[in-house]
Amino acid sequence: MAPAFRLSLKPKISDNMTHLMVDFSQEKHMLKSLKFLPVPRAPEVDPADCLVADNCVTIMWSISEDDKKIDHYILEYRKTNHEGLPRIKEEKNWDIIDYIKTTEYTLSGLKFESKYMNFRVRACNKAVAGDYSEPITLETKGFNFNFDGTTSHQNLKVDDFSVEWDSSGGKGQENKVKGKENKGRSGTPSPKRTSVSCRPGSGRSNRDRFSGESYTVLGDGVIENGQHYWEVKSQKDCKSYSIGVSYRNLGKFDQLGKTITSWCVHINNWLQASFAAKHNNKAKAMDGQVPDRIGVYCDYDGGQISFYNADTKQLLHTFKTKFTQPIIPAFMVWCGGLSLYTGLQVPSALKSFQKGNGELSNSANSLITLAQ
């Protein structure tokens, strides 16, 4: 029995001690005056009110006017590659965000490594949580790819999202690469799938893909259409590196920007510092400080490769061309390392800038080319 009831009991004993009576009238009055909170109704989430942009997702929902005593909301989400209504069983569990006080919430800094995300919301009062809303599915496409270690120079140590110069000749990962090759002796090992398409970088999946002074590694994602965006950050002590794209037939001894089938920005911090855009063995020097992080924007159908300061979204350089073959992200590094950031949407600031076509018609940083 609760302490409040124990304090208010008024026991009475009959004169002949044959009956014990307890007066519950006060407790009865208290129970009748109690007002129980109803179970909150399920919120309503309209996908048309939700926003997916800049690797952020904003979810908005509404609640019945009758449910005025809502204390907070719980938002749950999970990533999936299944289009349509969410399935009961998924590979990934729901992630939970609790104690949301308003009827909207923004998830920021997401990596869109799946094509879709499921969302559901439930309302809670001081006593109980209500039913979930009908789950919704939102499209969250980003360009996903990794460094392809089977296409790298011997002097590069490659992980999925990092590449580093290794003066010992990459002997530390020879067994790792050989293991991958032995797995698929019947054919060329297949790289991971991306939201665009993935194919072997050259048909030669071995550590001799690049040699000599072509300290190059390719990405395992092939771009054949659409607009895509990724970012690269260099180590502070990196002496020389290039970031760009190329056709798959880049030669074994070819260096990025020195052929008609590769486009890049090149940064040199050794001896005489330089910052230049390179294509077909021609270089255009760029003014200003080299950004800590460089964004690469590719519009395959529009024939455009642009490089941006990833933090400020300031345009660094644009190549305008006509692609006649699929292209692959390509990288060169010497005495240092690079980190790769994928699963990114094209930033909305860049989309607005592209619509105006300001950088193509007026920018001195544009270079018109025709790739054969």
Side-chain angles (χ1 to χ4, degrees):
M1 188 177 293
F5 288 92
R6 290 203 302 269
L7 292 173
S8 62
L9 292 178
K10 299 177 181 179
K12 293 183 179 180
I13 304 175
S14 60
D15 294 339
N16 57 7
M17 304 290 288
T18 57
H19 293 87
L20 175 65
M21 297 173 290
V22 180
D23 183 4
F24 280 99
S25 59
Q26 184 175 347
E27 284 70 30
K28 184 178 180 180
H29 177 73
M30 290 171 60
L31 289 172
K32 286 184 176 180
S33 65
L34 288 177
K35 294 182 179 179
F36 293 95
L37 290 172
V39 176
R41 298 180 185 181
E44 295 183 3
V45 185
D46 187 351
D49 295 332
C50 302
L51 177 65
V52 180
D54 297 321
N55 284 84
C56 299
V57 180
T58 298
I59 304 297
M60 303 182 69
W61 58 90
S62 59
I63 196 75
S64 171
E65 293 184 0
D66 296 333
D67 293 325
K68 296 179 179 178
K69 296 187 177 180
I70 301 300
D71 180 68
H72 65 275
Y73 299 92
I74 299 174
L75 171 66
E76 298 188 3
Y77 66 96
R78 66 184 177 188
K79 298 178 179 181
T80 179
N81 285 313
H82 174 69
E83 185 178 7
L85 294 175
R87 297 180 292 187
I88 296 176
K89 291 185 178 180
E90 282 282 355
E91 294 181 359
K92 296 186 178 181
N93 296 323
W94 291 94
D95 290 314
I96 301 174
I97 299 177
D98 206 345
Y99 298 104
I100 301 172
K101 293 294 186 177
T102 61
T103 56
E104 68 175 83
Y105 189 85
T106 298
L107 293 164
S108 59
L110 297 172
K111 179 177 181 179
F112 289 164
E113 53 198 354
S114 62
K115 294 181 179 179
Y116 305 95
M117 290 181 69
N118 303 145
F119 298 89
R120 64 184 185 184
V121 183
R122 67 195 308 192
C124 305
N125 55 31
K126 293 290 186 180
V128 66
D131 293 332
Y132 286 105
S133 64
E134 288 292 328
I136 65 167
T137 300
L138 298 178
E139 187 177 36
T140 55
K141 282 186 178 180
F143 182 38
N144 287 278
F145 69 93
N146 303 329
F147 287 123
D148 185 358
T150 63
T151 67
S152 69
H153 190 282
Q154 284 278 359
N155 284 96
L156 298 181
K157 182 179 179 181
V158 181
D159 290 321
D160 285 346
F161 299 105
S162 66
V163 57
E164 191 170 351
W165 166 263
D166 183 2
S167 59
S168 65
K171 294 179 180 179
Q173 60 178 0
E174 284 299 312
N175 293 333
K176 180 179 177 182
V177 174
K178 287 181 180 178
K180 286 184 178 179
E181 292 174 354
N182 291 336
K183 257 187 177 179
R185 286 190 179 275
S186 59
T188 303
S190 298
K192 298 178 182 178
R193 300 290 298 173
T194 71
S195 59
V196 186
S197 65
C198 287
R199 298 176 184 172
S202 66
R204 292 175 290 176
S205 57
N206 56 64
R207 295 286 285 161
D208 294 326
R209 173 63 179 90
F210 293 101
S211 188
E213 295 184 356
S214 179
Y215 304 116
T216 303
V217 60
L218 303 176
D220 65 5
V222 178
I223 300 174
E224 298 176 298
N225 54 62
Q227 300 177 357
H228 311 284
Y229 179 81
W230 61 96
E231 295 179 357
V232 182
K233 184 176 182 179
S234 66
Q235 294 178 354
K236 290 185 178 180
D237 58 348
C238 191
K239 291 184 178 179
S240 180
Y241 61 96
S242 298
I243 302 166
V245 299
S246 74
Y247 288 165
R248 289 177 292 170
N249 60 1
L250 189 66
K252 180 175 181 177
F253 298 98
D254 289 341
Q255 298 182 30
L256 291 183
K258 291 191 175 183
T259 69
I260 197 171
T261 58
S262 63
W263 302 257
C264 72
V265 290
H266 175 73
I267 295 89
N268 179 39
N269 296 315
W270 184 61
L271 296 180
Q272 187 173 358
S274 63
F275 182 26
K278 290 187 174 184
H279 169 69
N280 197 20
N281 207 26
K282 296 179 181 179
K284 179 178 177 61
M286 292 187 287
D287 299 327
Q289 189 174 0
V290 178
D292 292 332
R293 192 157 158 165
I294 293 177
V296 184
Y297 168 76
C298 172
D299 180 0
Y300 184 91
D301 302 310
Q304 179 182 336
I305 296 291
S306 294
F307 299 90
Y308 290 85
N309 181 321
D311 296 322
T312 65
K313 300 301 182 287
Q314 178 186 2
L315 176 67
L316 302 174
H317 189 84
T318 291
F319 292 104
K320 185 64 178 175
T321 186
K322 182 179 180 180
F323 298 117
T324 58
Q325 301 177 32
I327 58 176
I328 301 177
F331 313 85
M332 184 283 293
V333 60
W334 177 69
C335 289
L338 300 175
S339 296
L340 177 65
Y341 301 87
T342 65
L344 304 176
Q345 292 182 303
V346 178
S348 55
L350 268 62
K351 286 183 178 180
S352 300
F353 194 52
Q354 300 302 326
K355 286 180 180 179
N357 287 327
E359 79 277 29
L360 297 183
S361 58
N362 300 319
S363 175
N365 284 337
S366 295
L367 180 62
I368 309 298
T369 65
L370 178 63
Q372 302 296 327

